[in-house]
Amino acid sequence: MVDTHARRYLLVVRRMFWAGILFFGLGLAAGWSARSHRATSWDCDPTCRPSPDATWDAIADTALVSVVLGTALAVAAFLMIMLRRPRSLPDDDKS
């Protein structure tokens, strides 16, 4: 079993939490930029109209995956800290 009170365990969980926050933030920023009106390309043949762009759709999908991954990492790290096993009591010698 894993010693949930070891320094290395806590360091890994802390890094996992902050990586989740980073992925979540980057996903929100990328999703916002992909869905904003600035990310729309225009086709101007006789008249100008917005046209769908596959690149921005791919960025929006990647942003959604990043937000979900970031949320999952942050929640899992939070639960790993909050649901740690209690410290085991030292065994008493009964001899």
Side-chain angles (χ1 to χ4, degrees):
M1 299 290 284
V2 176
D3 180 15
T4 58
H5 293 278
R7 287 184 115 168
R8 189 170 181 177
Y9 177 85
L10 296 175
L11 179 66
V12 167
V13 171
R14 188 178 304 130
R15 285 183 181 173
M16 188 170 135
F17 177 78
W18 287 112
I21 296 297
L22 179 70
F23 274 124
F24 182 77
L26 288 175
L28 282 181
W32 176 77
S33 67
R35 294 293 177 206
S36 68
H37 293 291
R38 291 177 292 174
T40 306
S41 40
W42 294 85
D43 284 338
C44 291
D45 327 24
T47 60
C48 289
R49 63 186 183 286
S51 68
D53 191 7
T55 304
W56 286 111
D57 290 339
I59 291 172
D61 294 343
T62 306
L64 178 64
V65 169
S66 178
V67 166
V68 170
L69 176 66
T71 303
L73 279 173
V75 168
F78 178 77
L79 290 175
M80 287 171 73
I81 288 295
M82 297 307 292
L83 301 176
R84 289 189 293 174
R85 289 190 316 250
R87 289 190 185 269
S88 59
L89 299 174
D91 293 334
D92 292 333
D93 290 330
K94 297 182 180 183
S95 50

